[in-house]
Amino acid sequence: MTLTLQLGIIVGYLILALLIGLVAYRLTDRTAEDFYLASRTLGTIVLLFTTFATLLSAFTFFAGPNIAYAQGPEWVLVMGLMDGIIFAVLWYVIGYKQWLLGRQYDYVTLGEMLGDRFASRRLRGLVAGVSLLWLFPYVMLQQVGAGTALQALTEGAVPYAVGAGLITAFMILYVVVAGMRGIAWTDTLQGAFMLVTTWIALVWVLVAVGGPGSATSALASSEETAHFLSLGSDYYTAQWMLSTAITIGFGVAMFPQVNQRFFAAGSKTVLKRSFALWPILCVLLFVPSFMLGAWARGLDVAIPEGDNVLPAVLAEYTPVWFAALVIAGAMAAMMSSSDSMLLSGSSYFTRDLYRPFVEQSISERREDLLARVGVVLFATASFGASLVNPATLFELGDAAFSGFAQLALPVIVALYWRRTTRAGITAGILVSQAFYLSSLFLATVPSSYAGWTAGLVGMGLGLVVTVAVSLVTTPAADERRAIYFDGLGAD
C-alpha cells in the first residue's frame, strides 16, 4: 500500500506536468523559433521561474544537501549567496547584450551569434560541440538523481534503472510535445511548488526534532560536527569556495538551457526585473534544503553509503505521502532541468552543426522535426551512460559547471571588446577547454593550484589567450565587428 501511494503521487505529478505541456502544444507555432524560444515572448514571472526551475536539478536537491551533511552548511554561502549574486550580474552583463543582438538578428543559439559575428562556421561548430560535450554529464546527473531518489524512497522496491528510465521517458515525451512554451509554463508551476514544499519540509522536520535550537545543539555536542557551526574548515577553504562559486556562476551563464533564455525575454524590462529578483529566489531555496542536510548529520539519520540525504531525512521525520510529494516535486524539477537541456541541446545540434555543415537550406518544419528526433537520441544515450553510474552527483555537476565556465570569459571579451579576432576567441576556447579536460583525465595535470581549482585557472588561461592572440592577429576581412557595437537599440 505504501509503495503504491508513493508511486501514485510521483507518477500523478509527472502526468500533471505532461498535461500542461499538451495544452502548450496546441498553442505552439510549428516553427523552430517558437519551439526553442516561445517566439521571444516570455514575461518577468515566467522567465524568472523557468530559469530558476531549469537550475532546480539533482545537483540542488541531492548533491547540495549531501555536501552539507558531509562537510557543513557553508555550502549555502557558495550556492545561495555567491552564485545568486554572481549569476545575477552576468544575467545583465551577458544576457542584456545577447537579448539586444538576438532581437535584431534573430539568433537562437550562442554559437549562431558568435559564428555570425566572426563569420566562422568552425567557431559556431566549436561552441556547439563544447556545449554538447558538457551538457551530456549534466543530463546524466538528473537521471542518476532520479534513479537513486526513487530507489531510496521505496527502499529498493523500485530499482535504480527503473527510476532513471521513468524520468527519461517522461522528459522525452514532454520535450517532443511541449517545446519552450510548455516547458516555461510547467517550470513556473514547479518552481513555486518546490519553494513551498521545501520550506514545509524544513519546518516539519524541525518541529519533529524540537526546533532549530535542538537540531543545532545536536551538531554542537559532537566533536565530529562541532566545526559545522563556524566558518572555515579543511574542506571549505577560501580558495575552494571562491573557485567553486565563480566557476558555477559563470558556468550557469553558459549552460545552453540558461543562455538561450537570454534570447527569449519579451523586453528589456523583463530582463532587468528577473536578474534583480534572482538572488532572493536562490537564498529562499538553498537555505532550507542545505540546512536540512547539515542538521541531519547531528540527528543520527542513517544514510547508506552512496544514498542521498534528503530522501532519508524525509522518510525519517515526515509522513509517507509528504515525503513522496517532495520527491515527486524534486523529480519534476529534475525533469525541468532535463527537458530544458534536451531542448537546447537539440537546437545546438540542428542550428549549429546540422544546418551549417550538412543541409544549409533546411526548412523550418524539417528543422523542427529534426530537433524532436535529436531529443530522443540524446536522452536515450545519456540514459544508457547513467546506468553505469560512473561518478557522484557532485562530481558530475562540478565537471559540467567548470567545463561550461571555460566559455564565459572569451564570450564576454567578444561581446564588449571590438578588437577581439576570430583567431583570438577560437584559441581562447580551445586552450582553456584542453587545459580543463587534461586536469580531469591526466594525472600529470594538477586539479588545483595553491588551493585554486583547475576550472578557475582554466578560465584565467582562456581570458589571457583570447586577449593575447587578438592583439597579435588581424581581424579577417569578413568579420562583422560592427554588429556587436553599432546600431543596437535598447528600448
Side-chain angles (χ1 to χ4, degrees):
M1 181 64 183
T2 298
L3 177 62
T4 303
L5 177 63
Q6 291 170 329
L7 292 180
I9 291 172
I10 291 170
V11 173
Y13 190 96
L14 295 177
I15 290 175
L16 174 62
L18 182 60
L19 290 175
I20 294 174
L22 290 171
V23 173
Y25 179 76
R26 296 176 62 87
L27 302 176
T28 298
D29 296 331
R30 299 300 180 267
T31 64
E33 184 178 60
D34 196 82
F35 183 62
Y36 295 135
L37 300 179
S39 298
R40 306 177 197 270
T41 58
L42 299 186
T44 301
I45 298 300
V46 174
L47 178 64
L48 179 66
F49 272 96
T50 188
T51 307
F52 183 58
T54 292
L55 294 175
L56 298 184
S57 65
F59 194 81
T60 303
F61 286 107
F62 299 129
N66 290 354
I67 295 171
Y69 178 87
Q71 305 295 342
E74 287 161 278
W75 185 241
V76 173
L77 295 177
V78 176
M79 290 293 289
L81 294 178
M82 293 182 185
D83 284 311
I85 295 170
I86 290 171
F87 178 62
V89 172
L90 292 175
W91 193 319
Y92 188 76
V93 171
I94 299 175
Y96 180 49
K97 191 71 174 280
Q98 276 195 214
W99 175 76
L100 288 172
L101 290 163
R103 184 189 60 169
Q104 186 150 332
Y105 299 106
D106 296 324
Y107 298 137
V108 171
T109 69
L110 177 65
E112 189 175 8
M113 182 184 77
L114 294 171
D116 190 39
R117 154 68 172 87
F118 292 99
S120 174
R121 282 193 314 164
R122 291 179 180 177
L123 176 60
R124 183 174 178 175
L126 173 64
V127 172
V130 166
S131 298
L132 291 173
L133 170 68
W134 296 116
L135 197 63
F136 193 82
Y138 209 70
V139 173
M140 277 178 57
L141 188 152
Q142 315 313 314
Q143 293 161 323
V144 172
T148 54
L150 265 181
Q151 186 178 40
L153 182 68
T154 61
E155 298 180 346
V158 176
Y160 164 81
V162 174
L166 177 66
I167 197 169
T168 302
F170 266 93
M171 68 190 189
I172 288 174
L173 182 59
Y174 188 76
V175 178
V176 168
V177 168
M180 171 66 89
R181 193 181 305 278
I183 287 171
W185 287 3
T186 53
D187 283 351
T188 303
L189 167 68
Q190 289 166 186
F193 176 81
M194 284 314 301
L195 272 178
V196 173
T197 54
T198 304
W199 276 99
I200 292 175
L202 177 68
V203 172
W204 206 314
V205 171
L206 288 177
V207 169
V209 301
S214 297
T216 303
S217 296
L219 289 176
S221 63
S222 169
E223 288 186 17
E224 194 177 64
T225 58
H227 69 278
F228 279 24
L229 305 180
S230 60
L231 290 174
S233 68
D234 293 338
Y235 184 82
Y236 289 115
T237 64
Q239 296 96 319
W240 183 87
M241 291 179 71
L242 286 171
S243 295
T244 304
I246 292 169
T247 52
I248 291 178
F250 279 80
V252 164
M254 292 293 104
F255 266 38
Q257 72 274 21
V258 174
N259 190 271
Q260 275 194 308
R261 278 158 171 74
F262 297 152
F263 291 126
S267 69
K268 172 185 175 181
T269 302
V270 167
L271 273 175
K272 285 188 171 183
R273 287 175 179 165
S274 300
F275 85 74
L277 292 170
W278 179 261
I280 299 172
L281 276 183
C282 284
V283 171
L284 285 176
L285 177 71
F286 296 146
V287 166
S289 59
F290 296 170
M291 288 308 300
L292 275 173
W295 275 322
R297 182 68 176 273
L299 298 175
D300 294 327
V301 178
I303 311 295
E305 185 176 354
D307 282 2
N308 296 309
V309 174
L310 197 57
V313 173
L314 294 174
E316 182 75 21
Y317 292 105
T318 66
V320 169
W321 65 267
F322 182 77
L325 190 64
V326 175
I327 297 303
M331 288 187 65
M334 286 181 250
M335 192 174 76
S336 289
S337 295
S338 300
D339 56 26
S340 296
M341 291 177 215
L342 293 174
L343 181 67
S344 296
S346 69
S347 71
Y348 276 48
F349 171 73
T350 56
R351 297 186 75 89
D352 297 333
L353 294 175
Y354 187 87
R355 176 188 274 184
F357 294 100
V358 179
E359 188 178 355
Q360 296 185 20
S361 60
I362 187 173
S363 68
E364 285 277 328
R365 291 188 69 87
R366 178 169 166 76
E367 182 181 341
D368 178 65
L369 175 62
L370 184 64
R372 296 173 197 265
V373 172
V375 165
V376 177
L377 295 177
F378 195 85
T380 303
S382 62
F383 170 65
S386 75
L387 295 180
V388 180
N389 199 9
T392 68
L393 294 175
F394 180 77
E395 289 168 339
L396 287 171
D398 187 51
F401 280 123
S402 295
F404 278 114
Q406 307 309 308
L407 288 171
L409 293 182
V411 169
I412 293 174
V413 170
L415 284 172
Y416 286 95
W417 187 36
R418 187 186 289 263
R419 184 67 180 78
T420 312
T421 66
R422 178 193 303 165
I425 187 172
T426 303
I429 292 173
L430 284 172
V431 169
S432 62
Q433 290 291 333
F435 171 80
Y436 181 62
L437 281 167
S438 298
S439 74
L440 291 178
F441 297 107
L442 298 180
T444 54
V445 180
S447 59
S448 66
Y449 299 79
W452 303 96
T453 66
L456 185 64
V457 174
M459 288 177 64
L461 185 61
L463 173 62
V464 170
V465 171
T466 300
V467 173
V469 174
S470 293
L471 286 173
V472 300
T473 55
T474 303
D478 54 353
E479 289 185 24
R480 303 177 64 203
R481 287 185 291 166
I483 70 172
Y484 275 25
F485 303 98
D486 304 329
L488 288 181
D491 52 42

